Amino acid sequence: MATNWAGNITFSAEPHAPESVPELQELVRSSEHVRVLGSGHSFNRIADTTGTLVSVASLPRVITVGEDTVTVSAGLRYGEVTAALQAAGRALHNLGSLPHISIAGACSTGTHGSGDANGTLASAVSGITFVNADGELVTLTRDDPDFPGSVVSLGALGVTVSLELDTRPSFEISQVVYDALPVERLGSDFEEVFSSAYSVSAFTDWVDPDVMVWRKLRAGTPYEPSWLGARVADGARHPIKSMPADFATQQGGVPGPWNERLPHFRLEFTPSNGEELQSEYFVPRAVAAQAFEELKALGGLMAPVIQISEVRTIAADDLWLSPSQGRDTVALHFTWIRDEEAVRPVVSALEEVLLPLGARPHWGKVFTVDAATLRECYPKVPEFIALAAKYDPAGKFRNDYLDTCLP
C-alpha cells in the first residue's frame, strides 16, 4: 500500500491518478467518499480515506506565465514551477524549505516560508479551480466572498485542479549562515534577528546554547562577519549540525536566483529519506520571547526525540484556516525522530505551554489538540465548516481526520 513521505502513514486505499480533468470529474461524481493526496509530505491522516484516494499528479501539466500571475495545474511541485518562472523573469514572493512539495497540497494546509513581510505560500493564490462534490468545476477569485475560505481548505471543499498565483519580477538572494548566536538573543534581540534579511531561519534544539541562523539577504546587501555575538560559518551547513550539507542550497553569500536560495534544500537532491515526524505551532509575534523561554524550559524533555527546531516569521493574511490569519506570526517547527509513541507525550507537553500563548497547530503535522481547542485556535472554523457544507452538503470529502478536527 502507498505511504506518505515519512513512512509513518500507510494509506487505506491505493491512489487513483486520472489523466484529464473530465476523468477526474467523473471519478469524483461516481465516488461516495473522496480524499486528495498531494506529494505526501503531511505527517497525519489528513489525506487518508477508505473511499477513493485521488492524486492529481497525472493531470496535464499547465504553467501559463502572465504579466503578473502564473496559472499552474495542482499536481505540480514548486521546483517545477519556479524554474519556469525564473526563465520568464518572474518570481513568487516566498517558498518553503523543500521545493519538492506539491503546490496545491502546500497551499491547502497553510504551509509557509519565512520573512517578516512575507505571507504563507497560500497568500500568493489569487484564483482557485476545484471539482466539487457533484463533479462540477468551481472557480473562485479574490473578489468572491467564499475565496478566503477556499485556499487553505484541507481538501474539504473539493479536488483542486489549478491555481493562479501572484508573481513579481525575479530577484537574487545571497544566503549567509551564522554559527553560535547565543540562544538568549533570539528573545532579547528578536526584532533585529528576524528583520535582518528577506527571510530568516533560526535552528536550535532548545538545549544547545548556540543557535544557527540562516539569513537570506537581497543580493548586494552587505553583511557582517560577526553579528549579535554570532560568526559567519566557515563552510556549508545542514540545518542539523551533524549532517552533511551536500543537499543544502548555496551558502557563503554567493548571489543566486530566488528559486535556488529561498528553499533550504536543492531541487535536484532528495534531502532525506523521511525518517522523521514533524510538528509545528504558530504563535502571535508579540509573545515570541515568552514562547522561547517556555521551549528552553522543555529542552531536556525534548532532547531524546528532537532532531532540530526551526524558528521563522510570517506576515498576517486573511485566509480563514491560515496559521497567520489576522496576525503576524512566529512559526515554531519541530523535527522529531520517527517514533510516534515517544513523540506524542512531548507534543502534549509543548501544547500545554504554547496553547495559552495563542498557538495554532499546523494542519498537516503531528498534534494532539481536540476539536473544541481548534475552534479556539482558529476563530474562522465555524465559517469554514459552513462553507464546506455549501460545496459538499453530503460530506463526500470528509474523512476521519475532518470528523475529528472539524466536526
Side-chain angles (χ1 to χ4, degrees), residues 39-53:
S39 49
H41 279 82
S42 291
F43 295 81
N44 58 35
R45 292 196 172 274
I46 187 171
D48 197 28
T49 181
T50 55
T52 302
L53 184 62

Side-chain angles (χ1 to χ4, degrees), residues 16-32:
H16 296 258
E19 296 183 355
S20 70
V21 173
E23 183 184 349
L24 170 62
Q25 292 176 269
E26 178 54 35
L27 183 62
V28 170
R29 190 179 296 116
S30 62
S31 297
E32 184 177 359

Side-chain angles (χ1 to χ4, degrees), residues 45-68:
R45 292 196 172 274
I46 187 171
D48 197 28
T49 181
T50 55
T52 302
L53 184 62
V54 174
S55 166
V56 293
S58 295
L59 293 181
R61 293 168 53 92
V62 175
I63 305 176
T64 305
V65 182
E67 184 176 351
D68 54 10

Side-chain angles (χ1 to χ4, degrees), residues 8-340:
N8 68 308
I9 299 294
T10 298
F11 295 110
S12 303
E14 288 293 337
H16 296 258
E19 296 183 355
S20 70
V21 173
E23 183 184 349
L24 170 62
Q25 292 176 269
E26 178 54 35
L27 183 62
V28 170
R29 190 179 296 116
S30 62
S31 297
E32 184 177 359
H33 292 288
V34 178
R35 289 298 287 171
V36 188
L37 177 64
S39 49
H41 279 82
S42 291
F43 295 81
N44 58 35
R45 292 196 172 274
I46 187 171
D48 197 28
T49 181
T50 55
T52 302
L53 184 62
V54 174
S55 166
V56 293
S58 295
L59 293 181
R61 293 168 53 92
V62 175
I63 305 176
T64 305
V65 182
E67 184 176 351
D68 54 10
T69 63
V70 61
T71 300
V72 301
S73 46
L76 291 175
R77 301 182 183 220
Y78 271 95
E80 298 173 280
V81 173
T82 58
L85 280 175
Q86 172 61 16
R90 303 298 294 175
L92 299 176
H93 78 295
N94 205 356
L95 291 174
S97 301
L98 292 172
H100 311 76
I101 57 177
S102 75
I103 294 178
C107 291
S108 70
T109 54
T111 297
H112 60 96
S114 183
D116 279 3
N118 301 328
T120 62
L121 304 183
S123 69
V125 177
S126 56
I128 182 170
T129 298
F130 59 90
V131 177
N132 70 7
D134 294 327
E136 299 170 345
L137 287 174
V138 177
T139 297
L140 300 175
T141 59
R142 283 200 183 110
D143 58 359
D144 192 296
D146 290 345
F147 180 82
S150 70
V151 183
V152 184
S153 67
L154 315 183
L157 272 61
V159 182
T160 302
V161 295
S162 67
L163 294 162
E164 183 183 73
L165 309 174
D166 295 335
T167 65
R168 58 182 59 179
S170 179
F171 56 97
E172 288 199 330
I173 291 287
S174 297
Q175 182 169 219
V176 184
V177 175
Y178 285 82
D179 289 334
L181 178 81
V183 67
E184 62 270 13
R185 302 200 78 157
L186 277 184
S188 65
D189 297 84
F190 174 80
E191 295 295 339
E192 185 170 353
V193 170
F194 287 95
S195 66
S196 69
Y198 185 86
S199 172
V200 176
S201 292
F203 295 96
T204 176
D205 62 7
W206 302 108
V207 173
D208 191 332
D210 294 336
V211 175
M212 179 170 53
V213 180
W214 293 28
R215 297 171 66 196
K216 299 173 190 274
L217 301 151
R218 284 277 198 166
T221 304
Y223 60 90
E224 312 87 339
S226 297
W227 172 71
L228 297 178
R231 61 184 182 276
V232 171
D234 60 5
R237 297 287 188 265
H238 186 283
I240 301 174
K241 293 179 181 179
S242 61
M243 295 188 67
D246 300 10
F247 302 154
T249 46
Q250 177 73 55
Q251 301 164 21
V254 179
W258 61 283
N259 59 312
E260 295 179 7
R261 297 293 185 273
L262 290 180
H264 294 336
F265 297 101
R266 300 180 185 184
L267 177 62
E268 62 267 31
F269 297 110
T270 301
S272 76
N273 59 6
E275 288 288 336
E276 63 190 54
L277 298 175
Q278 294 181 12
S279 299
E280 190 163 23
Y281 297 90
F282 305 88
V283 299
R285 188 180 178 99
V287 303
Q290 186 177 350
F292 299 159
E293 291 303 313
E294 297 287 3
L295 295 176
K296 285 190 286 184
L298 288 177
L301 178 66
M302 290 189 279
V305 296
I306 195 170
Q307 296 191 54
I308 197 64
S309 177
E310 182 179 8
V311 181
R312 288 174 284 182
T313 56
I314 316 162
D317 62 53
D318 64 353
L319 303 176
W320 291 354
L321 295 190
S322 167
S324 51
Q325 183 272 327
R327 69 192 195 190
D328 291 332
T329 296
V330 177
L332 306 169
H333 182 275
F334 304 88
T335 299
W336 313 111
I337 62 172
R338 203 183 74 180
D339 183 342
E340 195 153 348

